[in-house]
């Protein structure tokens, strides 16, 4: 109810007014809590900062399931994306070995001691290295970014998992990121906290310490009152063109004695 679920396919998260590191990390951790397997994170622009990850993670052992690679140039970033299958196979081999050492003990879900395909692939700021690399011309930068996106799309088909991406800027250069995305999440910063809107999801409430909720949009109250009206048998009202009011319903009399509709 509070965070959107990540469906199979490429999900583009656009955050208004900043990089949105906490919301990105929250989506990743929330997905790992609900699904088995590790997350493979190809980082750029410092999104995989361990400081905030450690602060918001409900379990430190959950962090063991996040495998991070960093590319500091366009070619390094592209190489890390291309090497993901190798990293996945290595993780499976290591988890198989750990499971064998554990013997009959029941492995912890957080420790990920049994072999799994990836639960999630994360590629934040997927455009930043290609636009910033001085060794690439514009044509080559676009080509290399397109190859990166194509690789990520093949992992969606090969592993049947979500791929979560963000972009550093919204402009013509990053239009291919939006084009390849199967799902799109928009996040804006409000006074109450981040508000996320996507297909079939909209942040309407925020929890507080005592378990109550704060509303963040009028849509919450509209939906609540419409549901209550249906429950008690009252047809919810909707805006309609102005029509003459019948005599005797909502009428009044002016000082001159004229009857008017209220």
């Amino acid at each position: 109810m509070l965070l959107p679920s990540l469906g199979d396919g490429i999900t583009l998260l656009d955050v208004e007014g900043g990089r949105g590191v906490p919301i990105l990390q929250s989506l990743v951790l929330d997905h790992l809590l609900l699904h088995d397997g590790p997350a493979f994170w190809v980082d750029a622009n410092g999104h995989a900062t361990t400081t905030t990850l450690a602060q918001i993670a409900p379990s430190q052992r959950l962090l063991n399931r996040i495998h991070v690679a960093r590319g500091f140039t366009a070619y390094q970033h592209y190489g890390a994306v291309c090497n993901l299958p190798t990293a996945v196979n290595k993780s499976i081999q290591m988890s198989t070995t750990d499971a064998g050492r554990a013997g009959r003990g029941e492995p912890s879900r957080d420790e990920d001691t049994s072999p799994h395909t990836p639960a999630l692939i994360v590629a934040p700021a997927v455009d930043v290295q290609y636009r910033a690399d001085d060794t690439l011309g514009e044509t080559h930068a676009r080509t290399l970014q397109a190859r990166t996106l194509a690789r990520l799309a093949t992992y969606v088909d090969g592993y049947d998992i979500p791929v979560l991406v963000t972009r550093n800027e919204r402009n013509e250069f990053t239009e291919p990121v939006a084009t390849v995305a199967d799902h799109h999440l928009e996040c804006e910063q409000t006074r109450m906290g981040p508000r996320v809107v996507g297909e079939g999801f909209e942040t309407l409430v925020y929890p507080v310490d005592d378990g109550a909720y704060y509303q963040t949009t009028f849509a919450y109250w509209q939906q609540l009152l419409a549901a209550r009206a249906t429950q008690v048998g009252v047809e919810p009202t909707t805006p309609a063109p102005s029509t003459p009011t019948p005599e005797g319903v909502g009428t009044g009399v002016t000082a001159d004695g004229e009857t008017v509709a209220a």
Side-chain angles (χ1 to χ4, degrees):
M1 294 296 294
L2 300 177
L3 288 171
S5 59
L6 301 176
D8 292 351
I10 296 179
T11 297
L12 170 61
L13 170 66
D14 277 325
V15 181
E16 179 185 344
R19 296 189 303 155
V21 171
I23 183 65
L24 172 71
Q25 294 182 351
S26 297
L27 289 174
V28 172
L29 292 171
D30 184 63
H31 187 81
L32 290 181
L33 287 170
L34 299 174
H35 298 82
D36 292 322
F40 290 85
W41 187 314
V42 181
D43 196 45
N45 209 21
H47 284 72
T49 171
T50 55
T51 303
T52 53
L53 267 173
Q55 288 176 343
I56 65 178
S59 168
Q60 294 299 308
R61 291 182 297 179
L62 189 65
L63 301 179
N64 294 334
R65 295 170 53 193
I66 302 176
H67 305 268
V68 179
R70 290 182 171 88
F72 298 98
T73 67
Y75 288 106
Q76 288 179 0
H77 189 270
Y78 176 66
V81 172
C82 291
N83 289 334
L84 271 172
T86 302
V88 170
N89 293 334
K90 183 178 179 181
S91 174
I92 291 176
Q93 293 173 1
M94 293 178 62
S95 61
T96 303
T97 302
D98 292 340
R101 291 175 179 174
R104 296 181 180 179
E106 185 68 21
S108 168
R109 183 173 181 177
D110 285 343
E111 291 174 344
D112 192 37
T113 54
S114 57
H116 294 291
T117 56
L120 176 67
I121 292 174
V122 190
V126 71
D127 60 306
V128 70
Q129 297 299 353
Y130 305 99
R131 68 167 70 248
D133 198 324
D134 295 334
T135 65
L136 291 175
E138 182 178 356
T139 301
H140 290 152
R142 291 178 180 274
T143 300
L144 202 57
Q145 178 185 242
R147 290 178 178 176
T148 295
L149 296 174
R151 282 278 185 170
L152 293 175
T154 62
Y155 300 147
V156 169
D157 296 332
Y159 296 120
D160 291 327
I161 59 169
V163 173
L164 180 60
V165 302
T166 68
R167 50 184 171 175
N168 197 51
E169 297 179 24
R170 294 195 201 187
N171 50 32
E172 184 181 352
F173 186 81
T174 56
E175 277 301 314
V177 182
T179 301
V180 76
D182 302 291
H183 315 286
H184 192 188
L185 295 174
E186 295 266 4
C187 178
E188 63 173 326
Q189 303 295 336
T190 72
R191 185 175 58 86
M192 301 300 300
R195 176 172 177 263
V196 182
V197 178
E199 181 182 352
F201 181 88
E202 180 181 2
T203 303
L204 298 177
V205 295
Y206 289 105
V208 292
D209 294 338
D210 59 2
Y213 290 88
Y214 284 130
Q215 92 284 3
T216 181
T217 65
F218 282 112
Y220 172 75
W221 295 113
Q222 292 171 348
Q223 293 179 17
L224 182 67
L225 293 173
R228 178 65 72 195
T230 301
Q231 183 183 25
V232 299
V234 177
E235 185 69 21
T237 58
T238 56
S242 178
T243 56
T245 303
E247 182 79 17
V249 178
T251 60
V253 180
T254 67
D256 298 330
E258 180 184 359
T259 300
V260 294

